[in-house]
Amino acid sequence: MNKIDTHNSKGGDERSTATSLLRLGTRLKLSRQTRGLTLKVLAAAANCSESLLSKVENGKVSPSLPMLHRLVEVLGTNIGWMFEESDGEEGIVFRAGSRPLIALDPLRRGEGISLERVIPYSPGHLLQCNIHHIEAGGESAGPIQHAGEEVGYLLEGAIELMVGEKTFRLSAGDSFVFNSELPHWYRNVGDERASIFWVNTPATF
């Protein structure tokens, strides 16, 4: 059982997070090396420091979502592959309690943000789907923008969504859709965890 299991101990969650960071670092380094890039070159292209990139590759720190978007764009790969637990066969059904849960954004306030993978990454998928869990006080690192289109449905809680120059207050049951090329960002404005069922295409995460 992976990190999404709410019965896991805190120690188990910490080990799962550490494993996820090591997997990310290893695949990031592999992707960089197969393209013949040095740490310095990749860091400059992705607009981050060489020391921070080194720490990410060694599994010591978690990068922000905008930083990961820049890195995979330079490397010509996909964020999903960086985190996927296996590279095996595609599945059809993913049971409750067994879907991968990954954390990306730095802890700005509260418990931050985690993404529950509804569709595990595979080159064959045109859609990308996650449940974004935002703890009270949590917010996305951004704003970010990329090619594609996104749609979301707020399962629980209250959030503030910024798209372009507009800001919206959403409650459970509200939905949204927008062009991913518009800068977008969101935060939890309630007292409890908010969860968003979020789909976008093409898969960029």
Side-chain angles (χ1 to χ4, degrees), residues 26 103 170 179 184 197:
T26 299
L170 304 178
N179 187 315
H184 47 282
F197 188 86

Side-chain angles (χ1 to χ4, degrees), residues 180-194:
S180 305
E181 293 181 355
L182 293 171
H184 47 282
W185 166 93
Y186 59 91
R187 68 188 181 102
N188 187 335
V189 292
D191 297 325
E192 300 179 350
R193 185 171 79 166

Side-chain angles (χ1 to χ4, degrees), residues 1-108:
M1 189 67 66
N2 58 32
K3 187 181 173 185
I4 195 173
D5 187 351
T6 56
H7 297 291
N8 281 351
S9 65
K10 181 178 179 181
D13 286 347
E14 290 175 348
R15 286 190 296 272
S16 179
T17 299
T19 300
S20 181
L21 288 178
L22 284 173
R23 182 184 302 113
L24 167 63
T26 299
R27 294 186 178 181
L28 183 60
K29 185 175 183 178
L30 174 62
S31 186
R32 173 178 64 79
Q33 291 178 334
T34 56
R35 285 160 180 76
L37 301 177
T38 64
L39 272 171
K40 184 176 182 179
V41 170
L42 178 57
N47 192 29
C48 65
S49 71
E50 187 175 349
S51 61
L52 175 58
L53 180 57
S54 177
K55 290 178 181 178
V56 172
E57 286 194 354
N58 288 309
K60 295 181 179 179
V61 298
S62 177
S64 68
L65 186 53
M67 178 181 173
L68 273 178
H69 269 288
R70 295 194 301 271
L71 286 169
V72 297
E73 183 177 4
V74 174
L75 294 170
T77 186
N78 187 291
I79 295 177
W81 176 76
M82 296 287 181
F83 282 93
E84 209 58 47
E85 293 188 4
S86 66
D87 299 302
E89 299 179 354
E90 288 186 45
I92 295 177
V93 175
F94 305 98
R95 303 293 182 184
S98 64
R99 291 184 291 270
L101 186 69
I102 58 179
L104 291 178
D105 292 330
L107 300 183
R108 296 189 173 188

